[in-house]
Amino acid sequence: DGGITQSPKYLFRKEGQNVTLSCEQNLNHDAMYWYRQDPGQGLRLIYYSQIVNDFQKGDIAEGYSVSREKKESFPLTVTSAQKNPTAFYLCASSIAGWGNHYEQYFGPGTRLTVT
Amino acid sequence: GQQVMQIPQYQHVQEGEDFTTYCNSSTTLSNIQWYKQRPGGHPVFLIQLVKSGEVKKQKRLTFQFGEAKKNSSLHITATQTTDVGTYFCAGQAAGGTSYGKLTFGQGTILTVHP
């Protein structure tokens, strides 16, 4: 089955620790995205990558980092510099990047709780 | 930057009633997409509108794109309990520095009472 996988589904961390969220896709999509979802705020873009070995900051990139070394993988690291890291994190992919009118396919999400 | 506003934030209906959510962009859009997120799930693509004034239907769902390509609506006729979830619009900027960027609205949470 083709799709996007995110692991783990639930993640708990202590404040001050960095944590990396996994996102893998086998759809052969060029573009991948990370969103953060908080109640009442919709989806906010953290980082995006339109092609392997390239990525750009989204609207709320502070305290986060990413890499795109392989086409199918786009891990997100939530660093200790992120002031409010507790949220639901969604990874998505599309056939190609912006300007091409392609829909985005979302993974099941990772719910991160930092205490 | 581009903003996409969606109203209402919440909507409670009795099963069988109609439901509408509205989406307004601060800038002209090249296209608009609609997604549905079931409780506890992830957003799933429903449809994309590209042309000015476009209307598309999916069974009981009707999607409209405004003439100025700055607003859109989703109307559900005779809601069912399976319609429960959050409906998001997402607009792609038509130009400027945000060209092609997909910006999501805040979503409308629909509750259907049987």
Side-chain angles (χ1 to χ4, degrees):
Chain A
D1 284 338
I4 301 177
T5 57
Q6 291 185 245
S7 61
K9 188 171 183 178
Y10 298 95
L11 191 54
F12 298 88
R13 280 294 184 269
K14 293 290 186 183
E15 195 173 322
Q17 294 179 335
N18 290 357
V19 58
T20 297
L21 311 185
S22 167
C23 177
E24 303 279 331
Q25 55 100 357
N26 61 4
L27 300 168
N28 200 32
H29 286 176
D30 280 331
M32 296 187 74
Y33 314 84
W34 273 105
Y35 293 93
R36 170 181 172 141
Q37 185 173 25
D38 296 282
Q41 296 200 46
L43 305 178
R44 293 185 290 168
L45 183 66
I46 304 172
Y47 267 97
Y48 63 99
S49 168
Q50 300 200 63
I51 199 165
V52 67
N53 291 321
D54 186 50
F55 53 83
Q56 286 82 37
K57 293 181 179 180
D59 298 319
I60 56 165
E62 185 175 352
Y64 300 97
S65 65
V66 295
S67 63
R68 186 86 188 276
E69 297 175 0
K70 297 186 295 182
K71 187 175 185 177
E72 59 271 22
S73 180
F74 191 41
L76 172 75
T77 297
V78 184
T79 75
S80 56
Q82 168 51 233
K83 295 178 181 176
N84 295 296
T86 295
F88 187 46
Y89 291 88
L90 287 159
C91 179
S93 71
S94 62
I95 295 173
W98 288 327
N100 293 286
H101 297 184
Y102 291 116
E103 69 264 31
Q104 295 187 8
Y105 295 77
F106 285 83
T110 292
R111 193 166 296 278
L112 173 65
T113 302
V114 177
T115 57
Chain B
Q2 181 192 15
Q3 290 187 329
V4 176
M5 305 300 291
Q6 196 173 346
I7 57 169
Q9 188 174 356
Y10 302 94
Q11 186 74 60
H12 302 265
V13 299
Q14 289 293 131
E15 190 172 19
E17 292 182 339
D18 292 356
F19 159 75
T20 304
T21 175
Y22 301 90
C23 187
N24 291 287
S25 171
S26 58
T27 59
T28 302
L29 302 170
S30 63
N31 69 90
I32 195 156
Q33 300 175 1
W34 285 91
Y35 292 79
K36 176 183 179 180
Q37 183 177 24
R38 295 183 184 275
H42 57 277
V44 175
F45 174 79
L46 293 177
I47 208 162
Q48 176 171 260
L49 305 172
V50 179
K51 299 176 183 177
S52 170
E54 188 170 15
V55 177
K56 287 188 176 180
K57 292 190 176 184
Q58 289 180 348
K59 298 182 180 179
R60 295 178 294 103
L61 278 62
T62 302
F63 303 84
Q64 294 188 345
F65 200 11
E67 295 289 341
K69 301 185 76 173
K70 295 182 72 174
N71 58 77
S72 181
S73 65
L74 158 60
H75 179 82
I76 302 179
T77 303
T79 54
Q80 300 175 359
T81 55
T82 53
D83 295 325
V84 164
T86 303
Y87 293 85
F88 292 100
C89 63
Q92 284 198 319
T97 57
S98 297
Y99 172 68
K101 177 185 173 185
L102 193 64
T103 300
F104 282 81
Q106 301 96 318
T108 295
I109 300 172
L110 173 64
T111 303
V112 179
H113 300 283

